[in-house]
Structures are given as C-alpha cells and as structure tokens.
Amino acid sequence: MKNFYSSCILKDFGLFWACMSVAIWFLARPYEGMVHDAIFYAADALNHLSRENFKQDLFFSYGTQGDYSIFGWAYSYLIEVCGLDGATLLLAILGKLVWLGSLLYLCLALFSWERAVIAFSSILIIHPYYGAYKIFSYGEPFVTPRIWAEAASLLSLSFFVGGNAIKGWGASLVAFSLHPLMALPGPMVGVFLLSPSRRNKAIVGGVFIFLGLWIARLDPFFRISSFFDKEWLSVVEARNAYVLFRAWPIEDVAQAFFWLVLLLGAQVWGGGHDRLKKLCWALACVGALLLVAWVIGDGLNNVLLTQLQLWRVLWIVKIAAILSVVGGITSDSTSAENRKNFFILAAAMFLFGGETTSLVLALVAVAMSLVWKGTSPQQFFKAENLLIKGIFFVAIVHALSETQYNFQSLRLLASEAGFISFFASSLIIIFGGGFIVAVALRRVYFPARARCVLNAIGVFFAAAGIFSFCNKKNEFPQDLGVGALKSFIPVGSVVHWDGEAVDSWLYLGRAIYASPLQGASALFDRDMSLELKRRLTRLQVARGSKNPLFLAKEYFPNKSLMLSGVEFLCEDEILDFVILRGKSDYSDTQFILSKGGVVSVFDCGKRRNS
C-alpha cells in the first residue's frame, strides 16, 4: 500500500478535491458588498473622480491609507467605465480569482502536484482570520487593495524561494504600490534569502535610505520621531484598538506565537521540502522581527511603528504555518517521532493557545498521515494511538460544527434547514479527511471514466460557487429621488445623514460630518483625531443616551426633543445639512427615495441665520 495515496487518490482526484475546496470557499464567504473597509476605499475612488465633493470631509482632509496606494486611481477609472456597482463586483471577482491563482502557484512552487493540492485545500478550508478580534482575514470577500497586494506578495514569495529574484522584486513592487502594509513581508523575505554578504549590504543600505527619508521629513518616515500623547492615544484606543498590542486578548497573542512555532517546527518535520523549510525559516525570522518592533512601538507610543501595523505580517505567517504542517505530514523522510511531536504541538495549540484552527489542521494532518503511510484500520485503533485518535475525532466534530456555524452566521441556509446544512456545509472537510481515508484503506479503485466524471463535478461546483459569489443585486441603482436630493444639496457641503457612511459618501456623494468609520484615519493625524472625537461627542449628545436621532414619529413621539437634537447639531458651523429618515413637520424639505423611503432635510445654514 506504499504510495497508494499518491498514485491512486490525489493524481486521480486532485482536481476534484481542489475544485470542491474552491466551491466551499466561495459559498462560505459570499460577496459582502459595501461593508467594512470597502466603504472608504470606494469613497476614496470617488474622491479621485471629484475632489470638490469631499474637500470638506474630515476623513480625506488629513490623509488616509489610500494616499499610499494606486488602487484608488485604478478603482476610479473602472467606476467611470462600469459604474460603482459594476466596478466593485468586477474587482471583487477578479481579486478572488487572482488570489486563488497566486496561492496555487505558491503551493506548486513548494510541493509536487499531489502535495500542493493538500496544501491549497487546507488553506481554503481553515478559517482565514488573523490578528485581534477576528476583524481581518486574508482573501477578503469585499473590495479592498489588500486582496490584490496579498496575491502579488504570494507570487513574490514563490519567485524568491524558486530563485528568481528579479520576478520576486517585481511582484513585491506591485504589492507595495497597492498596499505597503500587506506587502512588507515579501521584500523582507527576499532580503533574508540573499547570501550573507549581500543580505548585510542590503540591510545597511535600507537603514541609510530610511535615515535619509527621515531627515528629508518625508511622510510617513518622519513620524518615527513622533509619539502619541494622552488625548490622541485615547481616540486611537477607542476607534482602532486592534492596532495596539496592549488591547489584544491573550488568546490572540498566543495564536500568533504558536504560528511562529509551527514555522520553526518545519525545520524539524519539513523532511525533504527544502524550499518550504527555507520559506518558513525566513518568515519566522521576519515575523518575529516585525512583531517585536510592533510591541516596542506600542510600549513607546511611537506613531510610525503603530501606523505601520506590523502585526499584519500574521496573514502570511498563518498561511505558511499551514504549509509547514502539510509539508511535515506529506514528507516521506519525516520520522514517526517527529510526526508524533507535531500532534502534541497541535494539541498544545488548542489547549494553551485557544487556536481552534489546530483541530481542523489535526483532522487533515491525521488523515493524510494515515493514508500516506498506508496505516491499516487495525493499526489505527491500537491503544497506543489514543492521543492521535482523540485529536482525530475531536477535530472531526469541531470541523463540522465550525463550518456549520460559518454557514448559519452568513444566513446562506434557512434556520429550519440546520440539520441539512450541518452535513452539506462540511462536505469538503469530510471528503478531505474521513472519506479519503476510507477510500484509501479499502483500496477502492475508480476507472478513468469515473475519475473524469468526478473532476467534471468538481469543476461544476467550483463554477457554481463563483457564480453564487457574483450573483449580487445592485446596491446603488438609479434613483430619481437621490438625484433631486443631490441637486438640492450643493457640491462640497458637509452632511449628517442619519444612517450609514454608505448613504452620504456613496449614495449622495457628499462629505460626512462624522462617522466612526472615519476613525480609520485617527492614526494619521492628531488634529483629525481630536476633531473627530468632538464631532462624535456632539452626535452622541444629540441622540441622547439610548435613542437614535430619527425623526419618524414611531421613534420619537416627543417633537420638541426631536427638534432640539437637530438644532443642537446645526449649531456647529461646519455642518451644512442634516438628513433624517421619516417625515417631519419641522424639516425644510422632504424627498422620496427608492432606497430608504421618505427623508427629511434640514438646512443648518438657514437655521443658524434665523
């Protein structure tokens, strides 16, 4: 049964397995539209088209992360050609596909086809979150430059470990032009993989270049000598706690630590995968260096080291950790003792690191180990394998329940179909683990025609998953009411539309008075942070302690309270208009929108003058 798995399973069904993984990946993470950071990247693109619309907006007045990327420029061109809905959906689909292609290319640069399929599928199966509070993930299901920078970084790592430094630096340059923070690990790995003499010269040269940029006071390098004061830091802590090490939960810190341990472990159980060991060693050193710098910067309240968000290296550290596990399990030269050490480490990750991903890893790893080495059912159920059996079965239960939770939380299936979703959403995990083991141990052989049919089924499901991702209705349809509202509110006005930032920025195309989303720029300027705090405080006062600032009578039967809230906001000379849902007898005018119904508009300039 030696190499039975390699010769009869993966070569025959590798395409099916990979396609099913892609299908589940798209189904479990459907296109989310204008959410999260996608909102202000879309607003940044619109700002490229018309600076006049947002010239008074607090978010754009002091600089944003979009100032360091060419993404907004490219996005704005697509908006001109395809419209906002079309450009957003096109970028989301292409970003996902390019990311998948880059990931597969990296896997193929490290492994043979059989092992690359295992690595590729394992990365897609396991939840993609990194950092604190599960806010950020790789391969995001909405439009930001991060997914494009990640794809370019994956390619750069493929080129670097393959010995093609020119292509590696070219891909790193592309990644840097899209999102410097996400791209930072790529060139650092490239430098680390240089020969010792060249590496030292590159490091010394980089230090001198940085000092030159600091002396020239170029943004953002001059901020290495700047520090947060108490007021500024309080805003950052309130709006962007995830960038500060002191705000991270201990379990998230432990996860990052154990991922680095897995990278170092690849040197032991990586077997004959020399490229993998080289990549994991480089990323372990780069990741540790960046995380230590981040912790030091947090302790010193340093502005630049906090703005760089060096913890973002964890996106590629996590991917590499998964690759290291796959390399260890599928290596022919990995000893049984090293394999046992991996299982103990996976259990430790779960018990002490709070890293539930390790259980899913254990499921895939144990299944691959059993089949790769030709373990028989009798050997598997021996008493001395109790530890492995425990991890194996707990991993199955966890993988099923976690995948079911992901599907239900995304409301892909009706709640009454929970029993069906429990199994349907876990198809790829069952196939990748238990089913593969059962097929291999029974020595089931499928004829060539059956293999073609299975591969065709896999391609069909992958296409269906991609189609479901694309099947999104327009979020910004033509609306005569919004057109009339735009005509009423002059270009360059500052508006408080009591809804989401989407309404003011993307639906109306006007500057926002204040929104928590603008807090993303709190890292970039002290004055901006304090002004945002002042405005948000005024909004909080106007809303009262519990109630939103709605003028619809079903929300506020007390008319004097409603009017007093609007009058209080309009006292701020920065604010030009207040737009609220529902009808009000006190408003200056009203508009009927196809999205949101009736809105009432208050002219703050007129009210201040009267």
Side-chain angles (χ1 to χ4, degrees), residues 87-101:
T88 304
L89 185 58
L90 180 62
L91 285 174
I93 298 167
L94 291 179
K96 281 278 197 179
L97 294 176
V98 170
W99 191 91
L100 283 172

Side-chain angles (χ1 to χ4, degrees), residues 41-53:
Y41 279 113
D44 181 61
L46 294 175
N47 188 43
H48 278 77
L49 294 176
S50 178
R51 300 283 182 180
E52 191 70 19
N53 284 344

Side-chain angles (χ1 to χ4, degrees), residues 22 42 354 374 475 548 556 578 598 602:
V22 170
E475 294 184 87
F556 271 113
V578 175
V598 178
F602 299 80

